[in-house]
């Protein structure tokens, strides 16, 4: 007996990809990606995407499905990921949802509705964002929906614009369209992977060093003709954003000083992101937490799954 869906979630650099792969191998399953930036073709080094060889024959879904100049859509992801999961379940395979993009995970396992969009309204709000900055629009959001403003970072212009658009279109608070948690869809078992703060900070630094050694700057340069710099979503990916900024400052051949600045800024931004991810997932009481630094995290995870199936 196996679960209908396993979700492996948690902060960046905790070991989710490896653990998800081990669970899929143990349960005769397949991996469904829930990392927003791994949706993009070509964003390989900077997203720590497992190579085909590293996947060890386990099929991975929702990888490399977007071009870098396309905008990622949670609504589209929800539709496609759920369709994959339902196909796998019908075929007797165990879907293993793996990733650290909290809203994407919730789009699969929780009831999350997506109001439509109005291109003219969105364009007007985007123009205001470009002219006035996110802080001004966040103040407006606080006036019309204080609860939503408390949830959305004042620096997250894209999310502020979406909140204001939804409020204008529906006449309801933005929070009314956010996911409601309850029993997870498909009876999913949620496994969270985490590590101590100091250890994870060090792992982030080593990961950024490895990405730069493996050719992050060169990969970013190769993606410029494909439209990476103009992509609203992909251009914000950690590491790539910092390299693009270096290109703006120094051209496409940044010297040692610029590379060191890219490293420092990427490490700092990733550590901040890790803390936001941890705060997001720790609010979800359905998650069973696994120590990524344990001797055998996969054995611990499989033990949790076994207990859940007999409880």
């Amino acid at each position: 007996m196996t679960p209908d869906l396993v979700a492996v979630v948690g902060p960046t650099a905790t070991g989710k990809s490896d653990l998800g792969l081990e669970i899929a191998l143990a349960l005769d399953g397949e991996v469904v990606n829930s990392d927003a930036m791994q949706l993009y073709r070509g964003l390989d080094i900077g997203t720590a995407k497992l190579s085909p060889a590293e996947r060890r024959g386990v099929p991975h879904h929702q990888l490399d499905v977007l071009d870098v100049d396309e905008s990622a859509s949670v609504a589209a992801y929800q539709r496609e990921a759920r369709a994959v999961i339902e196909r796998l379940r019908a075929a007797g395979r165990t879907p293993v949802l793996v990733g650290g993009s909290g809203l994407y995970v919730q789009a699969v396992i929780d009831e999350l509705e997506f109001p439509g969009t109005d291109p003219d309204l969105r364009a007007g709000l985007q123009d205001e964002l470009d002219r006035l900055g996110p802080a001004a629009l966040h103040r407006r959001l606080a006036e019309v929906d204080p609860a939503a403003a408390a949830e959305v970072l004042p620096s997250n212009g894209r999310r502020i614009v979406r909140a204001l658009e939804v409020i204008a279109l529906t006449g309801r608070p933005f929070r009314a369209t956010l996911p409601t948690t309850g029993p997870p869809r498909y009876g999913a078992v949620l496994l969270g992977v985490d590590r101590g703060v100091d250890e994870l900070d060090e792992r982030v630094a080593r990961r950024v060093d490895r990405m730069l050694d493996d050719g992050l700057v060169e990969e970013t340069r190769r993606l410029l003709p494909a439209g990476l710099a103009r992509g609203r979503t992909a251009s914000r990916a950690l590491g790539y954003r910092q390299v693009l900024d270096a290109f703006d400052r120094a051209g496409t051949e940044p010297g040692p000083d610029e590379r060191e600045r890219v490293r420092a800024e990427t490490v700092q931004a990733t550590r901040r992101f890790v803390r936001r991810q941890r705060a997001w997932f720790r609010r979800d009481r359905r998650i069973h937490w696994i120590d990524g630094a344990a001797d055998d995290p996969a054995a611990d995870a499989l033990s949790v799954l076994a207990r859940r199936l007999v409880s």
Side-chain angles (χ1 to χ4, degrees), residues 4 55 66 73 82 88-89 97 139 142 149 187 189 215 242:
D4 288 333
R55 297 171 204 167
L66 295 176
S73 159
R82 285 182 175 179
L88 293 176
R89 293 176 65 225
L97 188 69
R139 287 193 293 272
V189 180
Q242 286 73 26

Side-chain angles (χ1 to χ4, degrees), residues 129-213:
L129 176 66
D130 294 339
R131 288 187 294 103
L132 304 177
L137 269 67
H138 191 268
R139 287 193 293 272
R140 185 192 307 174
L141 179 61
E143 292 172 1
V144 298
D145 191 345
E151 292 283 338
V152 179
L153 289 172
S155 60
N156 192 339
R158 184 167 180 261
R159 191 122 166 91
I160 295 167
V161 163
R162 178 56 176 160
L164 290 170
E165 180 188 27
V166 167
I167 292 165
L169 288 173
T170 66
R172 293 188 293 156
F174 180 58
R175 283 181 58 82
T177 69
L178 294 177
T180 55
T181 58
R185 194 181 185 95
Y186 311 111
V189 180
L190 280 65
L191 302 174
V193 192
D194 208 348
R195 295 170 182 260
V197 172
D198 291 343
E199 180 196 5
L200 197 49
D201 280 350
E202 180 58 32
R203 283 174 63 88
V204 164
R206 292 200 304 268
R207 174 172 164 147
V208 171
D209 287 338
R210 184 168 60 252
M211 289 173 175
L212 288 167
D213 289 344

Side-chain angles (χ1 to χ4, degrees), residues 64-137:
D64 303 325
V65 295
L66 295 176
D67 292 326
V68 293
D69 60 348
E70 295 182 87
S71 292
S73 159
V74 184
Y77 172 80
Q78 180 190 65
R79 182 174 60 251
E80 297 299 328
R82 285 182 175 179
V84 169
I85 287 166
E86 286 158 14
R87 286 199 305 271
L88 293 176
R89 293 176 65 225
R93 306 281 284 174
T94 301
V96 183
L97 188 69
V98 181
S101 297
L103 192 59
Y104 283 68
V105 174
Q106 285 196 278
V108 172
I109 65 172
D110 289 317
E111 296 311 311
L112 176 57
E113 62 177 278
F114 294 96
T117 187
D118 181 305
D120 292 335
L121 175 60
R122 172 69 68 91
L125 289 167
Q126 185 62 49
D127 179 64
E128 288 187 67
L129 176 66
D130 294 339
R131 288 187 294 103
L132 304 177
L137 269 67

Side-chain angles (χ1 to χ4, degrees), residues 5-10 14-21 23-24 32 34 95-101 105 189-193 281 287 290 301 305:
L5 174 66
V6 179
V8 181
V9 303
T14 51
K16 295 186 302 296
S17 295
D18 291 337
L19 179 58
L21 181 64
I23 292 172
V32 182
S34 58
V96 183
L97 188 69
V98 181
S101 297
V105 174
V189 180
L190 280 65
L191 302 174
V193 192
F281 288 115
I287 295 175
I290 304 294
L305 293 174

Side-chain angles (χ1 to χ4, degrees), residues 35 50 54 58 62 111 115 117 162 174 192 227 234 239 247 251 257 259 280 284 308:
D35 180 314
L50 293 181
E54 290 170 329
V58 173
Q62 290 300 295
E111 296 311 311
T117 187
R162 178 56 176 160
F174 180 58
F247 287 167
D257 290 346
R259 284 180 176 254
W280 176 291
D284 193 334
R308 275 298 307 272

Side-chain angles (χ1 to χ4, degrees), residues 251-274:
T252 55
E253 293 297 335
D257 290 346
E258 279 293 338
R259 284 180 176 254
E260 180 54 34
R261 180 171 174 179
V262 165
R263 178 196 181 278
E265 291 178 348
T266 304
V267 168
Q268 182 182 50
T270 304
R271 287 173 174 168
R272 286 197 301 264
F273 181 57
V274 162

